[in-house]
Amino acid sequence: MDSLEKQLICPICLEMFTKPVVILPCQHNLCRKCANDIFQSSNPYLPTRGGTGASGGRFRCPSCRHEVVLNRHGVYGLQRNLLVENIIDMYKQENISSRPSPEQKVDQPMCEVHEDEKINIYCLTCGVPTCSMCKVFGAHKDCEVAPLNSIYQTQKTELSDRIAMMVGNNDRIQGIISQLEETCRSIEENGRRQKSKVCEKFDHLYAILEDRKREMNVKVNAEQEEKLSYIRRLTRKYGDHLVSMTKIMETGIQTLEEPEMAVFLQNTKPLLQKIAEASNTSHLERVERSYENMDHYSVSFKREGRALRNIDFARDDDDDDDEEDEDEEAVDADSRAGQTASGEVDSLNEALPPLLPPQPPSTRRSATSS
């Protein structure tokens, strides 16, 4: 009983715990009133709620000096240790029953077989209390017996030790629960961190693809503008030539309407010479066949598609030489196991094919004279 009573002593008031009993994160117990007194002495300038604990704050455990951080409920936010409270009630009840007042007479149980005999011995063989008559004449005459008070003290001590052991086991279990809760918080935090790193890696991959797309489109646009500029310039030349021929044709129609033969003959020779010159289109360039074709800028991403579909988390035995991207930040060795697909991103950047070189500029052949 003495060992159990020591387990139930508050380290502040040095008396048996007064309910409610609160359990600290370090698994030590305090009376809530004592915890409130320690908290107020450690935080004299914090406002209180009607004389009770303040909202938030911290104090140190008197047993192990572990810092206890309170939430907005103060000491009322600490968890109650119902097991210790129940043990205190049982202990007090046991003391009251084992130490009756002098004026009270304790009724001693009587033997069921010998109704006039009190139970005063304990049968060690059968493990039950009995009376002396049962030992002499009854069912326990061949059994080994012992005085009732010696067995009582032995079993009472054993029960007290078992209860004390349960208190210690409860403290250990509370510690394990706290560790498991901390592990849950660590898993959640690590999961959020790793998902953020995965998103960063994929954003970097998107940026690489966007840069390559922009570079490829720039090259296509450059040749497109060059060809369009040439075709538009050639269109203007043919247009100017058409206007010149139209004017000569109008002049010829007017000459045909000339009634004077002498005037007609004077204008006919230079007009025929102009018509012959205008009909000659050998000085005008002609477009090469399939000049408008841009198929030489075709690309194929089959190999890169397979690489993208095979993106996965990095393994411990991956070769670090694959990570050659100068823009990649250095990865800490302690968190390398959680990095996501870093080798695949860098290898894919290296695997993107360069643009197919454009065909040599089309030669512009001069048209033969018509």
Side-chain angles (χ1 to χ4, degrees):
M1 294 297 290
D2 293 339
S3 61
L4 175 60
E5 186 174 356
K6 290 179 182 179
Q7 294 287 337
L8 302 177
I9 296 300
C10 176
I12 302 301
C13 61
L14 300 180
E15 295 179 358
M16 188 170 294
F17 289 116
T18 302
K19 295 193 298 184
V21 181
V22 294
I23 182 169
L24 305 180
C26 57
Q27 306 306 310
H28 289 112
N29 299 295
L30 292 175
C31 308
R32 187 156 68 189
K33 180 180 180 301
C34 296
N36 189 34
D37 294 339
I38 295 177
F39 171 75
Q40 291 186 1
S41 63
S42 301
N43 302 268
Y45 301 108
L46 286 178
T48 59
R49 302 184 302 177
T52 61
S55 176
R58 58 189 67 199
F59 66 92
R60 291 191 178 275
C61 172
S63 299
C64 64
R65 308 304 297 167
H66 177 78
E67 188 178 54
V68 179
V69 180
L70 301 178
N71 59 20
R72 59 188 181 88
H73 299 292
V75 295
Y76 284 82
L78 294 173
Q79 183 179 357
R80 290 180 62 180
N81 196 331
L82 299 179
L83 178 59
V84 172
E85 293 181 8
N86 293 335
I87 293 173
I88 292 172
D89 292 337
M90 294 171 58
Y91 179 84
K92 289 181 178 179
Q93 186 177 2
E94 185 70 23
N95 278 351
I96 292 174
S97 62
S98 62
R99 291 181 298 179
S101 59
E103 59 273 14
Q104 291 180 347
K105 185 177 181 179
V106 179
D107 293 333
Q108 189 171 356
M110 308 300 288
C111 180
E112 295 180 356
V113 179
H114 307 93
E115 298 178 355
D116 295 333
E117 295 291 328
K118 297 179 181 179
I119 294 178
N120 55 2
I121 60 174
Y122 188 86
C123 179
L124 299 176
T125 305
C126 300
V128 295
T130 186
C131 70
S132 300
M133 296 298 292
C134 289
K135 171 60 180 171
V136 177
F137 304 107
H140 301 283
K141 62 181 180 180
D142 297 327
C143 299
E144 182 181 359
V145 297
L148 198 64
N149 58 348
S150 63
I151 302 300
Y152 167 77
Q153 292 297 333
T154 301
Q155 292 196 1
K156 195 170 186 179
T157 302
E158 181 182 358
L159 179 60
S160 299
D161 293 341
R162 294 290 181 90
I163 294 176
M165 184 177 62
M166 288 184 64
V167 174
N169 288 338
N170 177 65
D171 293 341
R172 287 191 294 272
I173 291 174
Q174 290 285 358
I176 293 173
I177 291 174
S178 298
Q179 291 177 0
L180 292 176
E181 292 175 348
E182 181 63 27
T183 301
C184 288
R185 289 191 289 270
S186 299
I187 291 174
E188 292 175 352
E189 178 61 28
N190 291 337
R192 285 192 294 268
R193 183 171 61 250
Q194 294 309 119
K195 286 189 286 187
S196 176
K197 290 179 180 180
V198 169
C199 293
E200 290 178 2
K201 291 296 181 181
F202 274 91
D203 290 341
H204 181 67
L205 180 59
Y206 299 153
I208 293 174
L209 294 175
E210 287 294 332
D211 290 342
R212 294 295 293 165
K213 182 177 71 172
R214 184 168 50 254
E215 293 172 2
M216 295 169 76
N217 284 334
V218 165
K219 292 187 177 183
V220 174
N221 288 337
E223 182 166 337
Q224 173 186 328
E225 291 300 324
E226 178 184 358
K227 288 187 174 183
L228 288 176
S229 177
Y230 170 70
I231 295 299
R232 288 166 183 161
R233 186 170 63 252
L234 195 60
T235 301
R236 287 194 298 271
K237 286 184 178 180
Y238 274 92
D240 295 341
H241 184 73
L242 180 61
V243 171
S244 176
M245 291 183 63
T246 302
K247 292 180 179 179
I248 294 174
M249 184 176 60
E250 292 176 352
T251 302
I253 293 173
Q254 293 177 358
T255 303
L256 288 175
E257 297 176 352
E258 178 61 44
E260 291 293 333
M261 290 186 292
V263 176
F264 175 82
L265 292 175
Q266 287 178 349
N267 296 332
T268 300
K269 185 174 181 180
L271 183 59
L272 291 175
Q273 185 176 359
K274 289 181 180 181
I275 292 175
E277 292 175 356
S279 299
N280 183 11
T281 59
S282 60
H283 64 284
L284 296 176
E285 300 175 2
R286 292 188 178 180
V287 180
E288 188 182 55
R289 179 178 296 179
S290 301
Y291 181 75
E292 70 280 2
N293 195 346
M294 303 283 284
D295 291 344
H296 50 278
Y297 284 113
S298 62
V299 292
S300 175
F301 292 110
K302 291 182 179 179
R303 182 164 58 109
E304 291 74 18
R306 289 192 297 269
L308 287 172
R309 283 188 290 272
N310 291 330
I311 287 179
D312 203 347
F313 295 99
R315 297 183 299 274
D316 292 338
D317 56 352
D318 282 345
D319 189 2
D320 294 338
D321 294 338
D322 293 338
E323 302 180 4
E324 298 177 353
D325 190 355
E326 295 180 358
D327 295 333
E328 285 289 313
E329 298 180 356
V331 178
D332 187 13
D334 293 335
S335 61
R336 184 173 300 165
Q339 287 293 342
T340 57
S342 58
E344 286 81 354
V345 171
D346 296 333
S347 62
L348 180 61
N349 184 21
E350 297 295 331
L352 285 173
L355 286 172
L356 294 176
Q359 296 178 356
S362 302
T363 56
R364 296 163 186 165
R365 297 180 303 172
S366 300
T368 55
S369 57
S370 56

